[in-house]
């Protein structure tokens, strides 16, 4: 069975830890692994816009000895003119791996079901698992561990990032504390899954409407845009709903003294985060953005060995 990475718990907690450690090694010795030597080609498909994901996969594939083939779905047949399954059948015969940023998780499942080469989720409406590998790597670099640390997520908890934080951080042995406005909290099924994993890994998952309670003694404070891709028509209404959920210096002062701030980016200063926090001394967002490269290289190298 081909191994894919469509959501955070498609790998085990120990595989997650191995990939993060491998990413830290690759960062120190950037050209030490060449699984795509040949060169083999990796397809990277975008149905939504991107800066970090596009750059980090293109650079990472090249650094692993391969050739990135970036496909914007608007200029391909995928979607309207050709099914996902037929696209997979064409790609699997030519490329080493398929990376896809899309809307529905079901589309990714269908691509994977029809592909003999690994499929990687580069963000869907449901999950952003590659981002979490980079975030956990950053946390490990900053604290030397992930286990036993508390992460607080403040803002829209009903989106891909909140889902991935809940599950991936529970896998990494962390406590996760969510604060979101009424009606914008985590999905029950995701919360249940995170609690199930936390029960095994030794973490605790809490969800409330109170940012102060969530960040209390947190080691890592995170947020994400209030308006995810595809929700642009709700921007005005969301700006009002989320008003009391900005991560600002007053909120950061309630976290642990050594707390760091992370954001997957792009960030909207003055909305989900104040400029003084994202541009301040506790922010690690540029290190986090760089780590997308190293974490995804480790993931692709690992997947190349599984299949
Ligand atoms: N964080 C992230 O995935 O950024 P892009 O949307 O720019 O790829
Ligand atoms: N939740 C955001 C993440 C962007 C990387 C979105 O889906 O737009």
């Amino acid at each position: 069975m081909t191994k894919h990475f469509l959501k955070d718990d498609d790998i085990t907690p120990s595989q997650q830890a191995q990939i993060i450690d491998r990413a830290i090694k690759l960062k120190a010795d950037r050209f030490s692994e060449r699984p795509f030597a040949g060169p083999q080609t990796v397809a990277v498909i975008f149905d939504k816009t991107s800066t970090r994901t596009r750059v980090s996969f293109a650079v990472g594939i090249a650094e692993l000895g391969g050739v990135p083939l970036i496909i914007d779905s608007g200029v391909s047949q995928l979607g309207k003119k050709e099914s996902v399954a037929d696209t997979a059948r064409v790609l699997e015969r030519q490329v080493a791996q398929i990376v896809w940023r899309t809307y529905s998780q079901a589309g990714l499942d269908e691509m994977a079901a029809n592909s003999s080469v690994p499929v990687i989720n580069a963000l869907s409406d449901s999950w952003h698992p590659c981002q979490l590998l980079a975030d956990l790597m950053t946390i490990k670099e900053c604290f030397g561990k992930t286990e036993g640390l508390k992460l607080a997520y403040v803002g829209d908890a009903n989106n891909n990032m909140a889902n991935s934080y809940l599950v991936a951080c529970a896998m990494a042995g962390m406590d996760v504390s969510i604060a979101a406005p009424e009606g914008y909290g985590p999905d029950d099924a995701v919360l249940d899954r995170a609690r199930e994993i936390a029960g095994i890994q030794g973490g605790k998952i809490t969800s409330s409407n109170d940012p102060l309670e969530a960040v209390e003694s947190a080691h890592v404070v995170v947020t994400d845009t209030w308006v995810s891709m595809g929700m642009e028509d709700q921007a005005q209404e969301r700006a009002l709903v989320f008003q009391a959920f900005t991560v600002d210096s007053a909120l950061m002062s309630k976290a642990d003294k050594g707390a760091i701030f992370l954001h997957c980016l792009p960030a909207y200063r003055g909305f989900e985060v104040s400029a003084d926090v994202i541009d301040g001394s506790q922010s690690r967002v540029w290190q986090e953005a760089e780590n997308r490269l190293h974490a995804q290289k480790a993931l692709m190298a690992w997947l190349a060995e599984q299949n």
Side-chain angles (χ1 to χ4, degrees), residues 46 49-54 101 122-123 128 131 229 264-266 292:
F46 290 94
T49 53
S50 165
T51 296
R52 272 145 294 276
T53 305
R54 183 179 294 254
R101 166 168 289 195
L123 179 146
H128 197 0
Q131 181 70 51
M229 288 180 269
C264 66
L265 307 175
R292 290 291 302 279

Side-chain angles (χ1 to χ4, degrees), residues 123 128 159-161 224-225 228-229 264-265:
L123 179 146
H128 197 0
N159 71 6
N160 42 20
M161 283 305 301
D224 184 21
T225 179
S228 285
M229 288 180 269
C264 66
L265 307 175

Side-chain angles (χ1 to χ4, degrees), residues 30-256:
R30 199 149 155 173
F31 300 98
S32 56
E33 300 216 43
R34 310 283 288 171
F36 297 139
Q40 298 179 59
T41 297
V42 174
V44 191
I45 312 166
F46 290 94
D47 295 350
K48 296 181 179 179
T49 53
S50 165
T51 296
R52 272 145 294 276
T53 305
R54 183 179 294 254
V55 173
S56 56
F57 270 108
V59 172
I61 292 158
E63 291 186 2
L64 293 175
V67 172
L69 173 62
I70 309 288
I71 304 170
D72 286 303
S73 59
V75 294
S76 78
Q77 316 288 18
L78 173 62
K80 292 184 190 71
K81 296 185 189 163
E82 192 165 27
S83 72
V84 172
D86 285 359
T87 304
R89 292 175 188 122
V90 173
L91 291 179
E92 67 165 5
R93 285 168 167 75
Q94 302 183 57
V95 303
Q97 296 185 10
I98 300 167
V99 179
W100 190 16
R101 166 168 289 195
T102 189
Y103 293 86
S104 104
Q105 193 69 21
L108 280 156
D109 291 338
E110 193 183 347
M111 184 78 86
N114 289 282
S115 169
S116 58
V117 300
V119 177
I120 297 173
N121 179 359
L123 179 146
S124 65
D125 289 343
S126 307
W127 308 100
H128 197 0
C130 290
Q131 181 70 51
L132 258 290
L133 291 177
D135 281 35
L136 288 167
M137 174 184 176
T138 310
I139 294 166
K140 181 125 194 218
E141 286 178 329
C142 292
F143 296 96
K145 61 172 186 179
T146 55
E147 312 79 33
L149 298 176
K150 175 181 173 181
L151 178 137
Y153 180 101
V154 177
D156 182 7
N158 200 255
N159 71 6
N160 42 20
M161 283 305 301
N163 291 347
S164 280
Y165 275 121
L166 277 162
V167 169
C169 293
M171 289 169 65
M174 298 176 71
D175 292 347
V176 183
S177 204
I178 302 273
E182 195 74 50
Y184 295 84
D187 211 64
D188 283 343
V190 175
L191 213 46
D192 287 349
R193 178 67 184 136
R195 287 193 169 127
E196 182 188 359
I197 297 167
I200 300 165
Q201 297 299 107
K204 197 173 137 205
I205 309 291
T206 55
S207 177
S208 78
N209 308 122
D210 184 353
L212 288 172
E213 182 190 313
V215 302
E216 173 80 46
S217 63
H219 304 95
V220 185
V221 178
V222 302
T223 186
D224 184 21
T225 179
W226 296 337
V227 187
S228 285
M229 288 180 269
M231 295 180 174
E232 288 78 5
D233 58 337
Q234 299 172 33
Q236 271 192 323
E237 139 200 357
R238 282 173 168 261
L240 292 176
V241 171
F242 285 95
Q243 236 170 17
F245 289 80
T246 301
V247 177
D248 56 17
S249 49
L251 192 63
M252 283 303 288
S253 73
K254 304 291 176 203
D256 187 79

